Amino acid sequence: MGKSIKSEHIPRATIQRLAVYVQVLENFLQEKQNVVSSEGLAKACGVNPSQIRKDLAYFGEFGVRGVGYYVQDLLTAIRQSLGIDRTWNVALVGVGNLGRSLLRYSVFRKRGFIIVGAFDCDPFKIGEVVAGLEVICSRRLSEKVQELGIEIGIITTPAERAQRAANYLTEAGVKGIVNFAPARLSVPSSVAVEYVDFVHHLFSVAFNISYQQSRNR
Amino acid sequence: MGKSIKSEHIPRATIQRLAVYVQVLENFLQEKQNVVSSEGLAKACGVNPSQIRKDLAYFGEFGVRGVGYYVQDLLTAIRQSLGIDRTWNVALVGVGNLGRSLLRYSVFRKRGFIIVGAFDCDPFKIGEVVAGLEVICSRRLSEKVQELGIEIGIITTPAERAQRAANYLTEAGVKGIVNFAPARLSVPSSVAVEYVDFVHHLFSVAFNISYQQSRNR
DNA sequence: TCATGTGAATAATTTCACAGCG
DNA sequence: CGCTGTGAAATTATTCACATGA
């Protein structure tokens, strides 16, 4: 069968787990563990072994019966399945505190997501150089997305300017957005949006602590 | 009925959505919209109206039949349900690039999560002052968690030091961890862990773009 | 033989549809 | 009357259990 996708719809949860599998498999590889069973991988990821087999089955057959999975091969297969066996050019919109940090955050590049343009609408920021990139006026996104081959946008503006940034990006033809601003976006259904909100994770932890304590009474 | 929790187990997805409801309701409040129906809130959050009613039903009855929800009252009720109607003292472990950014990230404090201690094991960083906090040796976490009343830890170390940071934190009695390092943690089941990985969101977007394109062929 | 891949069974979540109440 | 709150139905996701094949 090989690299083709076998199923119609793939659950969002599966995709999130595949990202975790990549993380854990990379560690295995570094530790020179070359073969792993679904049970071994499951334990390291904190999930059920058949969950892993089901997740992989959406994309193909990558294991060897009676043996397990060859770590390197499985990594390659998952990367291919996720579409991260290549590089992606990314635009960052909103060069504030967080934006600057992300521009300097080397992990993106290491993972194949290359920030090739930094945008802001503040005239005081335009022209400034951050992490080797000159900040460009957000209105010029259309032109630059074309020129630089940008396919993904990262939004790090304040909440009230996030929708405008999303509009600029989608109008420019970007096909996916990762939104760090605390605002919901309205975009065409053909554009993939991911929301990242640190504070929500703190909410979640706070809830779990409070809830656990209230249950233990 | 009021503030008591009505149900045994509350889905993780519900908690995540409640955090979104808070975000959207705050915007409504700013726009002086004082009443909202489950339909109105649902539209703004991109979910189904009965989803919202079900989510709220886990915690109580907050609406008025024939009217909807009073925005301010609902906000108060959800904040209480999530346990964010108070402040939480937080320790940050790992004063690298990302750690520094988060120390300077004012939104945490605004939301009631106050970073009261910054920790690192690098002797060159210990003693340095970042965002008004003196960096303390990670080994002194036990002592400081007590002293400062810390209940939540944020891990921003490199992947290979994340588990050690988690050990220090749990041994010190911290009850919840938000882990920004790309590593899975093993902690006692009584400790709530949330994983934050920017790169995973980019993976997700990359997959959706690739997948959509492969389906449209 | 042993671990994968998968249909069937189970569990959880979401949506529907309407009774109930302000 | 209109919108919430909620059982019941539909859908979706997870886990089990075993046939399959290296």
Side-chain angles (χ1 to χ4, degrees), chain A residues 84 86-92 98-116 152 154 156 178 180 196 198, chain B residues 98 197-203:
Chain A
I84 54 173
R86 46 162 287 197
T87 61
W88 294 82
N89 288 346
V90 177
L92 184 142
L98 181 61
R100 278 167 215 273
S101 302
L102 294 187
L103 285 171
R104 297 200 192 95
Y105 192 53
S106 60
V107 179
F108 289 144
R109 171 176 292 266
K110 219 172 288 168
R111 293 315 184 129
F113 296 92
I114 302 165
I115 302 180
V116 295
I152 296 176
I154 291 178
T156 46
V178 180
F180 285 78
V196 188
F198 310 156
Chain B
L98 182 61
D197 195 324
F198 310 155
V199 175
H200 286 193
H201 292 272
L202 281 162
F203 284 1

Side-chain angles (χ1 to χ4, degrees), chain B residues 152-207:
Chain B
I152 297 176
I154 292 178
I155 297 179
T156 46
T157 63
E160 59 273 18
R161 253 167 284 160
Q163 183 61 55
R164 183 144 46 113
N167 295 347
Y168 283 142
L169 285 166
T170 53
E171 282 159 21
V174 158
K175 284 285 161 281
I177 292 175
V178 180
N179 178 30
F180 285 79
R184 296 284 113 180
L185 301 178
S186 150
V187 297
S189 66
S190 64
V191 177
V193 180
E194 282 284 314
Y195 295 93
V196 188
D197 195 324
F198 310 155
V199 175
H200 286 193
H201 292 272
L202 281 162
F203 284 1
S204 208
V205 165
F207 166 74

Side-chain angles (χ1 to χ4, degrees), chain A residues 92-100 119-122 125 138 154-166 178-185 196-197, chain B residues 23 27 30 105-107 110-111:
Chain A
L92 184 142
V93 188
V95 187
N97 235 317
L98 181 61
R100 278 167 215 273
F119 299 84
D120 205 296
C121 62
D122 179 350
K125 287 177 186 159
S138 303
I154 291 178
I155 296 179
T156 46
T157 63
E160 57 273 19
R161 254 168 282 160
Q163 182 60 56
R164 183 143 47 114
V178 180
N179 178 29
F180 285 78
R184 299 283 112 180
L185 300 177
V196 188
D197 195 323
Chain B
Q23 197 175 87
N27 290 344
Q30 267 197 331
Y105 191 54
S106 60
V107 180
K110 218 172 288 170
R111 293 313 185 133

